[in-house]
Amino acid sequence: MKNIAIVTMLLSVAVLTSSAQRKTFSVGEATIPEMKKAMKEKRVTSREIVQQYLTRIAMYDAKLHATITVNPDALKEADERDRERARGKVHGPLHGIPIALKDIIHTTDMPTTGGALAFDGFIPPYEATLTKNLREAGAIIIAKTSLTELANWVAGPPTPMPTNYNPISGYGMNPYDPRRDPRETADGRGALFPGGSSSGVGTAANFWAANVGTETSGSILTPSNATMLVGIKPTVGRISRYGVIPITADQDTPGPMAKTVTDAAILLGVLESQSPDPNDPATSRCTPPPNRDYTRFLKRNGLKGARIGIPRASFYESLSPERATAMADAIDVLKREGAVVIDPANVPSTIEPDVQQNFDRWNICSGAGNSKGSDANCSIVLKYGMKRDFNRWLSTLGPSAPVKSLTELREWNLKHERAGAIKYGQSNLDISDEIDVQTDRARYEADRAKDIALAATHGIDEVMHANRLDALLFPGSNGSALAARPGYPSIIVPFAMVPNAAPFSSAFDAKPGPFGVSFTGMACSEPRLIELGYAFEQATKRRVPPPLP
């Protein structure tokens, strides 16, 4: 559970932060460039920025559960950044800017728990490559964010874990309606879907400037969509995964979540290493832009002449009327901005009559129903990867690791079930642990090849080449699973507020939730996607902050 001393410190900061500071510069909805400019002009210090953010955490986090750990040295680090700035030493594009990390990303000054009780309080022996990159750019790691436990590969069917739940910090709540589900069958989860397994709650609520999430299949795009953020799910390998608790190296990637495309582009450049990371061979896949500067792609006319495909089949057909209207409006924006819209531009594998070649008929094996012997018609890539890569990660932790294998974790969870370790069971861990990495390798390789064939070769690649597309436009995060299999990039941009689809009584007065649009391309196309996302954002400017008091 959260350290009482830290909470006390936050409350003290809330009292001490002066109204004069807030009038000088307010962090509410402030962008990274605005903070940098204000610090350069001496209108605010990094310490004052951190104080304001800590005040907001102290005021609202008990309701939202956006954090697992708050950095007790955040103010000291801010003081040091201020002293360095006064001496003319600015580390990089995030000097003095508070950033939060999903709590599966290693830090050595705060625990890295993955939201798992077995790792509560565990401090790893080394930092993630991306954590080092952030520090070198001058960022202050202000907190570790809530998440779905172990990136949502613990409990699948028949009792799947709710998104943004873990037994350490509880249920993450959506700040656009932070009330709990009032129905009799409710378990404490929020009334409004918060997305997961990464959390956008704290960034949306202005607890920090931006945060780093991770995605295996939807875990950056989905929470960004749910909390009205810009999320960039990069090409797998664009950002090093060294020091990040894995599900599978085939699909895992960290990525930025922010309030604007500009902020997300700045953060992306910092997270990416200048040269390949020897600890992550996939980092040789894409070449960084000069100086890792993605802000050069923030072009207001980025949509002019762009060819955007609309994959109607599978992705638009089941939208609610309000979401369908929002997407029609978004397509009109593309046309007004000079884009060439190809409608429909269906993904071939989603309309393939041969069921063996149809993407929609090829799901990820998940839950007790897809244990060995019952997994012939689904991809074992994630459950295989969890056994292979989680054990490999555990081996890097040394003697201080609380468990030494996936088997030991499952046994620990069973012994601590009454303490809440596996409230929803651990069916995904179970079906992963039954994998034999050697004898099941041929099946894994066949499934991995099929994933690539249906999602990329006969999927995104085919439709994009056939229509000479710059990107595909998806409603919300609907295209995330398709892009995840080959590790392709996407950017999601806030666009609308739509009704909560849950069947509440009229007396509850359910509040609407955010809804965005996402642009997806082929490997290493982040520069073009940022151009498209930025032009769309500037043409619409639909983000609104959550209605916190």
Side-chain angles (χ1 to χ4, degrees), residues 417-494:
E417 186 171 3
R418 296 182 69 177
I422 43 175
K423 182 175 181 177
Y424 296 94
Q426 54 181 345
S427 58
N428 280 344
L429 297 184
D430 291 340
I431 66 171
S432 288
D433 204 26
E434 69 181 3
I435 288 286
D436 185 302
V437 173
Q438 297 304 320
T439 60
D440 291 325
R441 183 173 177 177
R443 166 66 193 278
Y444 152 74
E445 290 177 344
D447 285 8
R448 178 66 178 150
K450 186 171 181 178
D451 282 355
I452 299 299
L454 299 189
T457 311
H458 189 40
I460 294 173
D461 295 3
E462 187 171 329
V463 67
M464 290 193 69
H465 286 311
N467 294 282
R468 296 178 290 112
L469 299 178
D470 291 281
L472 293 164
L473 182 77
F474 290 98
S477 57
N478 285 12
S480 60
L482 180 73
R485 307 286 182 97
Y488 284 179
S490 300
I491 182 170
I492 191 163
V493 180

Side-chain angles (χ1 to χ4, degrees), residues 98-119:
I99 302 293
L101 302 183
K102 183 176 179 178
D103 199 26
I104 62 171
I105 299 168
H106 285 201
T107 50
T108 53
D109 56 351
M110 287 177 280
T112 300
T113 72
L117 277 184
F119 288 87

Side-chain angles (χ1 to χ4, degrees), residues 336-471:
R336 289 199 304 270
E337 293 297 307
V340 178
V341 175
I342 293 83
D343 187 5
N346 289 322
V347 176
S349 61
T350 65
I351 57 174
E352 172 63 58
D354 180 354
V355 295
Q356 296 301 316
Q357 300 300 316
N358 190 292
F359 178 82
D360 292 339
R361 306 293 285 272
W362 181 240
N363 296 317
I364 294 170
C365 296
S366 175
N370 286 150
S371 60
K372 274 193 174 182
S374 303
D375 58 359
N377 296 310
C378 57
S379 173
I380 72 165
V381 166
L382 265 63
K383 69 172 182 172
Y384 181 95
M386 184 64 173
K387 180 65 173 284
R388 176 193 64 195
D389 298 328
F390 190 76
N391 280 343
R392 184 180 297 164
W393 168 73
L394 286 172
S395 71
T396 72
L397 301 181
S400 64
V403 297
K404 302 301 189 290
S405 68
L406 181 57
T407 301
E408 284 191 20
L409 175 61
R410 290 174 53 246
E411 291 170 349
W412 192 98
N413 285 340
L414 289 171
K415 291 177 182 177
H416 296 83
E417 186 171 3
R418 296 182 69 177
I422 43 175
K423 182 175 181 177
Y424 296 94
Q426 54 181 345
S427 58
N428 280 344
L429 297 184
D430 291 340
I431 66 171
S432 288
D433 204 26
E434 69 181 3
I435 288 286
D436 185 302
V437 173
Q438 297 304 320
T439 60
D440 291 325
R441 183 173 177 177
R443 166 66 193 278
Y444 152 74
E445 290 177 344
D447 285 8
R448 178 66 178 150
K450 186 171 181 178
D451 282 355
I452 299 299
L454 299 189
T457 311
H458 189 40
I460 294 173
D461 295 3
E462 187 171 329
V463 67
M464 290 193 69
H465 286 311
N467 294 282
R468 296 178 290 112
L469 299 178
D470 291 281

Side-chain angles (χ1 to χ4, degrees), residues 50 317 345:
V50 170
E317 295 168 335

